[in-house]
Amino acid sequence: MTASRHGWEPDRLLPGYEARTLRGWFPQAPVTVTRAVAAGGPDPVLTLVRPVQAPDAPRGVVVHLHGYNDYFFARHLADAFRDAGWAFLALDARRAGRSWRPGDVPHYQGDLREQASDLTRAVAAARRTWPGLPVVVHGHSTGGLVTALWAHAHRGRGGPDAVVLDSPFLSVERSWVRPLQDGALRPLARRVPLAVVASAPSRYAARLAERWDFDTSLKRPDGVPVRAGWLAAVRAGQLRVARGLALGIPVLVARSSRSGADVADGTDLDGVDTVLDVATIAALAPRLGADVREVVVEGGVHDLALSLDAPRAAYLTAVTDFLGTVRR
């Protein structure tokens, strides 16, 4: 594979895309919820992915961050943004998707600032490539939680001009993760951060694999085990959201109209969120900032961009309409 300009190479997964791998950073002062563990090699990487063809004169750039047990493969998402006049840059964060390396614990992070630092690199790359244009971060599920916390931490200094949160993982309440009490989880995460606290197949991912073309070794129908350190880091982030963030930028929070169980004989797998509780998302969304807008997608699944045709079109229209209001 021949390297192109500035380290970009043809993407190994998506024709018409190119990828660039960067070394990851570690937070300078990690939180003490978990101790440092060997969750992979000492030099984690992140991967940026973009279409080879971008708009000639883009109105801005969308940076996309995936969720847990996920990576970027949804070309139609980039196409929708391109058709609206926006450039697109996806991030496969450390230990996920294209950034997974042999020996890595898939998707593990003992501090959400690990993935947030990857997002910092991605947004900086977007600003260098398209200087002076607005940058909007589109975060899904756990990526939505990380996006919200990152935007709060970077408000006024290198943060985004707006964010779109697709079914953000703002609480474990009635979610796919059976929560431990925080009083039991924190000491377990400190002692044995890689201990598996939940493990089950994902009927949601299996159903998506019937309708979408993706690498099932990177988005696994058999699921990715939940580790104590990861869950403790997520809970710390969710508790911070519950106390309230201070995002001063426009925030679009999108969710399905209903939730349902992620079971093999479920009758609504194609029309409800089987991963998170949408009522909890609705309750917590106003705590993100002063300008939070909500879109409810009838018939949407957990990743609204992977819904059936009508709800997917409704979601993408709502997002691109929102992008039209964003200014630098």
Side-chain angles (χ1 to χ4, degrees), residues 4-258:
S4 65
R5 61 195 184 284
H6 307 302
W8 290 91
E9 300 179 340
D11 182 43
R12 63 183 177 85
L13 297 177
L14 296 178
Y17 280 71
E18 55 188 3
R20 183 184 182 192
T21 301
L22 302 173
R23 293 183 62 182
W25 298 333
F26 282 101
Q28 291 184 348
V31 296
T32 57
V33 173
T34 65
R35 63 181 176 84
V37 295
D43 297 311
V45 300
L46 58 128
T47 308
L48 306 180
V49 187
R50 68 184 185 187
V52 173
Q53 297 297 327
D56 291 335
R59 300 169 57 184
V61 54
V62 175
V63 175
H64 170 74
L65 177 58
H66 59 82
Y68 192 76
N69 189 22
D70 206 357
Y71 73 104
F72 173 68
F73 62 89
R75 287 177 286 188
H76 64 277
L77 187 63
D79 292 344
F81 295 141
R82 181 198 60 213
D83 292 345
W86 286 67
F88 180 82
L89 184 68
L91 165 65
D92 276 10
R94 63 186 66 193
R95 308 187 187 105
R98 298 164 180 81
S99 302
W100 181 86
R101 295 293 183 269
D104 283 352
V105 178
H107 295 274
Y108 183 83
Q109 48 181 329
D111 182 339
L112 295 188
R113 291 181 298 173
E114 291 183 49
Q115 196 170 96
S117 72
D118 296 347
L119 184 55
T120 296
R121 304 287 300 283
V123 170
R127 292 204 187 280
R128 285 194 304 270
T129 305
W130 296 281
L133 296 181
V135 174
V136 176
V137 177
H138 179 273
H140 169 58
S141 198
T142 307
L145 172 64
V146 170
T147 294
L149 294 167
W150 172 84
H152 172 81
H154 287 79
R155 58 196 186 281
R157 49 186 178 90
D161 297 287
V163 297
V164 177
L165 306 180
D166 172 3
S167 304
F169 189 22
L170 302 182
S171 173
V172 295
E173 184 179 357
R174 295 190 295 275
S175 75
W176 67 286
V177 179
R178 182 174 299 171
L180 299 176
Q181 292 295 324
D182 290 333
L185 176 61
R186 291 191 189 101
L188 177 64
R190 285 193 293 269
R191 294 195 309 271
V192 196
L194 294 183
V196 174
V197 296
S199 182
S202 171
R203 178 56 186 160
Y204 165 70
R207 183 62 171 171
L208 290 180
E210 296 172 9
R211 297 195 288 108
W212 296 97
D213 181 17
F214 56 82
D215 188 331
T216 54
S217 70
L218 301 179
K219 184 177 180 69
R220 303 180 181 183
D222 56 349
V224 174
V226 174
R227 311 277 178 170
W230 178 87
L231 185 56
V234 166
R235 286 296 298 139
Q238 292 174 340
L239 291 171
R240 182 64 189 88
V241 169
R243 294 196 298 271
L245 304 183
L247 301 185
I249 56 175
V251 179
L252 182 67
V253 178
R255 60 178 175 84
S256 177
S257 58
R258 293 189 297 133

